[in-house]
Amino acid sequence: MAASRMKLELSRVVQGNTRLGLLKEMGRMGQHSLDIPGCLLYTHLGTVPHLTQDTLHTLSSLPAVTQVTLSNMAEHQDVLEEFKGGFKKFAGLHDTVLYCSLHDPAAQCPTGHTTNKTVSVWGSGGRIELTVAKFMALQKTAQPDWYQSMADGETWQASASRKRVRKSVDRTLAHLDECLMVHQKSQELDGVGVFGVVEGGDILEERLRSARETAKRPVAGFCLDGFQTGAMDQVLRSQLISAVTKELPEDKPRLLQGVGRPDEVLACVEAGVDLFEGFFPFQATERGCALCFSFDITPDPESAAPDEEQRTAGETQPNRDLNCVDQTHMTSFEMNLKDKRYQDDFRPLVEGCGCYCCRNHQRAYVHHLLVTNELLAGVLLMIHNTSHYHGFFRAIRAALASDKMDLLRRRVLGNGKK
């Protein structure tokens, strides 16, 4: 059967790790491309939370890849099988590349339910246990353009023993081999790409073994798992990712799972990551927050510096532990518009932002919508947060192209005036 035609063309590699390029010929017809470093469009069952398709497409420069999760789709398998047209057609997602991941990156999954033969996903109705046969039947029914292979990803906790981590790597490789065997015999998955999963917890030897062995298989790309926010120290994460990416082929993309915070994104880009899941805007929206960090790398950083309130918007929050496993807490890259101080603030969410929300509404209005529990609050925040976040990735690529990563880092971390 035909393999995925996706090609990665690198235009620049900075300091041996950081990659700038273009992922070309994506999708069944090869008509899509995606700039890297980049991020995917996060969805719940094919829909960006709070936004209709018409509203979503008022935003410019959306990613060409839409992420859906098997945890959402598994409980609707009967309906999709009866439909027979694949999930993209079912959800009306015509002009996009569909990527199917195992878990929802914005939702925490209970651990302790993985066996040698199964993994578990969690839908609205509870736990769904998947064998390789059921997992692959779901992929045949959904007909994505890429999908993540089955994996045992439950070793991100610091308490995981070396023996448990080794077993995780072994299971993940065994799952990959079984998935590839079924995939290669499946007419429904002709031309579809499989992303192999690199596991290994916080143990360097197991990370390297997982990367080397996965790279030997005919995969279209790699998912780096177990590095999500709160899973490990940021310095250790960067060291492990740098070591892992050196073992992976240069011509295949590396997708990092579970990392979305801007400071962490920058560190992981510099460690060799190409793609990220775009769930962070949704998390900020659910907190009633607007993303407000600066990523302007114009020649005059003084004039482009964010106002003091925006730079310190998150600093008034009692819990700012940046390595907290609980991703429900507000970060320093957001302003909490539920706060009473915004009730008389008639400025846009972010000065100079060109999104629909910032062009037409004020902080005071969004505050009013939030405290009165109006659905429009989520719509306006999601418009702004999605626009702001994808603008951040454009800024990363521009900074890489113009040797301004140091400036961008200072801007994002709030040190633009120094």
Side-chain angles (χ1 to χ4, degrees):
M1 64 171 287
S4 170
R5 67 172 77 197
M6 180 169 56
K7 295 178 183 176
L8 176 59
E9 289 187 1
L10 297 178
S11 56
R12 193 161 194 218
V13 178
V14 181
Q15 295 180 340
N17 275 344
T18 314
R19 291 142 55 99
L20 181 68
L22 184 67
L23 203 50
K24 299 173 61 177
E25 297 184 29
M26 298 188 302
R28 301 290 183 101
M29 306 303 294
Q31 74 273 37
H32 292 285
S33 61
L34 180 69
D35 292 307
I36 65 154
C39 94
L40 315 181
L41 188 67
Y42 171 77
T43 72
H44 284 170
L45 275 172
T47 300
V48 174
H50 301 289
L51 304 183
T52 65
Q53 285 291 320
D54 287 344
T55 304
L56 174 67
H57 288 288
T58 62
L59 301 177
S60 60
S61 304
L62 289 171
V65 181
T66 298
Q67 179 179 2
V68 295
T69 59
L70 212 60
S71 53
N72 292 147
M73 286 194 291
E75 55 197 333
H76 304 291
Q77 184 174 3
D78 293 345
V79 175
L80 288 170
E81 285 177 349
E82 187 174 339
F83 179 69
K84 292 185 173 60
F87 184 79
K88 196 188 300 187
K89 186 176 179 182
F90 181 73
L93 303 173
H94 302 295
D95 192 28
T96 189
V97 174
L98 196 67
Y99 165 67
C100 183
S101 63
L102 191 59
H103 301 291
D104 184 341
Q108 285 193 309
C109 297
T111 57
H113 298 278
T114 300
T115 72
N116 286 336
K117 297 293 183 182
T118 67
V119 298
S120 290
V121 296
W122 299 81
S124 58
R127 183 166 72 98
I128 302 169
E129 196 168 40
L130 301 177
T131 61
V132 169
K134 186 167 183 181
F135 174 87
M136 292 304 296
L138 274 163
Q139 301 299 347
K140 293 176 187 178
T141 301
Q143 297 175 27
D145 297 293
W146 316 337
Y147 66 90
Q148 171 197 346
S149 178
M150 262 176 65
D152 174 6
E154 294 189 358
T155 56
W156 56 267
Q157 303 103 319
S159 59
S161 67
R162 181 177 288 267
K163 181 179 178 181
R164 176 67 182 91
V165 171
R166 189 181 307 116
K167 182 182 286 188
S168 164
V169 173
D170 290 340
R171 280 177 176 169
T172 299
L173 289 169
H175 289 328
L176 176 58
D177 287 338
E178 289 185 68
C179 288
L180 287 170
M181 194 178 303
V182 177
H183 181 104
Q184 288 162 357
K185 296 175 182 177
S186 170
Q187 188 174 352
E188 299 94 329
L189 296 174
D190 187 41
V192 174
V194 181
F195 273 43
V197 185
V198 177
E199 299 288 357
D202 58 1
I203 300 173
L204 177 61
E205 294 83 358
E206 291 302 321
R207 281 284 173 188
L208 295 178
R209 181 169 74 92
S210 181
R212 288 168 186 152
E213 289 299 321
T214 305
K216 293 176 183 177
R217 274 72 170 175
V219 295
F222 303 91
C223 292
L224 309 185
D225 189 26
F227 293 111
Q228 59 263 45
T229 297
M232 63 180 66
D233 175 76
Q234 287 195 58
V235 174
L236 175 60
R237 177 204 282 136
S238 293
Q239 290 172 343
L240 288 173
I241 291 176
S242 293
V244 163
T245 54
K246 285 181 171 66
E247 300 296 326
L248 301 177
E250 289 189 354
D251 61 345
K252 293 181 180 179
R254 302 94 177 248
L255 167 63
L256 181 62
Q257 297 181 306
V259 171
R261 214 175 60 215
D263 59 323
E264 296 183 324
V265 166
L266 287 177
C268 293
V269 164
E270 292 177 338
V273 172
D274 300 320
L275 298 170
F276 296 81
E277 299 168 313
F279 62 94
F280 191 69
F282 168 67
Q283 289 185 326
T285 298
E286 293 300 282
R287 291 189 280 262
C289 294
L291 296 180
C292 61
F293 63 97
S294 178
F295 45 78
D296 194 326
I297 53 170
T298 52
D300 182 6
E302 288 291 330
S303 65
D307 62 50
E308 187 66 21
E309 181 181 6
Q310 285 182 199
R311 290 199 302 113
T312 60
E315 294 179 7
T316 59
Q317 299 305 305
N319 189 330
R320 293 188 62 247
D321 179 4
L322 293 182
N323 286 314
C324 181
V325 176
D326 184 357
Q327 297 187 36
T328 61
H329 288 293
M330 177 179 166
T331 69
S332 59
F333 304 98
E334 310 158 45
M335 67 173 78
N336 181 6
L337 286 165
K338 293 179 181 177
D339 194 302
K340 198 171 182 179
R341 63 178 163 158
Y342 295 112
Q343 67 181 1
D344 298 316
D345 190 336
F346 301 110
R347 291 175 293 171
L349 273 57
V350 173
E351 298 284 356
C353 176
C355 80
Y356 172 85
C357 180
C358 291
R359 284 187 288 110
N360 292 280
H361 299 294
Q362 306 83 33
R363 297 176 184 183
Y365 180 58
V366 178
H367 167 81
H368 161 74
L369 294 174
L370 285 166
V371 298
T372 55
N373 293 316
E374 290 288 346
L375 294 177
L376 183 57
V379 175
L380 293 178
L381 281 174
M382 197 65 185
I383 288 172
H384 167 75
N385 290 339
T386 301
S387 175
H388 197 78
Y389 197 66
H390 291 297
F392 165 55
F393 277 89
R394 289 194 294 274
I396 293 175
R397 295 189 292 271
L400 284 173
S402 57
D403 291 318
K404 292 182 178 178
M405 281 297 285
D406 287 342
L407 173 59
L408 177 62
R409 192 183 306 105
R410 292 197 301 272
R411 305 292 292 132
V412 169
L413 298 180
N415 297 321
K417 292 185 178 180
K418 290 186 178 179

